[in-house]
Amino acid sequence: MNSGPALVSILRQGDTLVASVHTALDDSEMVRFQHDLVSQIGQYRARGVIIDVAALDVIDSFASRTLQTIADIARLRGAVTVIVGIQPDVAFAMVRLGMGMGEVATALDLEEGTAYLARLRGQDARR
């Protein structure tokens, strides 16, 4: 029986999935999040994935690698991933520790992430 609030919510907006992380996740919860999100990418044939981490005050190396892995898996399944909402202090700490998001696109917030995906779709439509 689940007695607490959801740690992560995954919502479908057209062909985009928006995953909001509401609280810090331990390693096993992070792996579960990865599995759930990747499953939904296939289930809903998502073309875009936005992962909102604004509620996190820490992104450790495992979480960073897992987010990168999610983006890699999503790309192989035909979806583009954008990480949004990295807090300034978190970004500063990540840079100081030599952790980045690699090739994964990042944006300031959900609005910017949505605009980024829209721009990509506009480029695809012109091809």
Side-chain angles (χ1 to χ4, degrees), residues 27-46:
D27 291 356
S28 65
E29 292 165 339
M30 199 67 177
V31 170
R32 174 67 183 258
F33 166 56
Q34 174 183 322
H35 179 268
D36 292 348
L37 184 54
V38 168
S39 294
Q40 288 191 30
I41 290 169
Q43 179 181 354
Y44 295 116
R45 298 180 173 274

Side-chain angles (χ1 to χ4, degrees), residues 98-112:
M99 295 172 16
M101 294 310 300
E103 299 290 318
V104 182
T106 58
L108 183 61
D109 55 24
L110 185 57
E111 183 179 350
E112 291 290 325

Side-chain angles (χ1 to χ4, degrees), residues 39-107:
S39 294
Q40 288 191 30
I41 290 169
Q43 179 181 354
Y44 295 116
R45 298 180 173 274
R47 304 321 268 154
V49 177
I50 299 174
I51 302 175
D52 186 350
V53 296
L56 299 182
D57 56 359
V58 173
I59 297 178
D60 65 13
S61 61
F62 184 80
S64 177
R65 270 193 324 273
T66 304
L67 291 170
Q68 290 177 36
T69 299
I70 291 169
D72 289 343
I73 295 168
R75 181 180 46 77
L76 290 171
R77 302 206 68 198
V80 175
T81 301
V82 183
I83 309 293
V84 303
I86 298 175
Q87 296 297 323
D89 291 341
V90 174
F92 181 75
M94 290 175 73
V95 169
R96 297 266 311 192
L97 294 171
M99 295 172 16
M101 294 310 300
E103 299 290 318
V104 182
T106 58

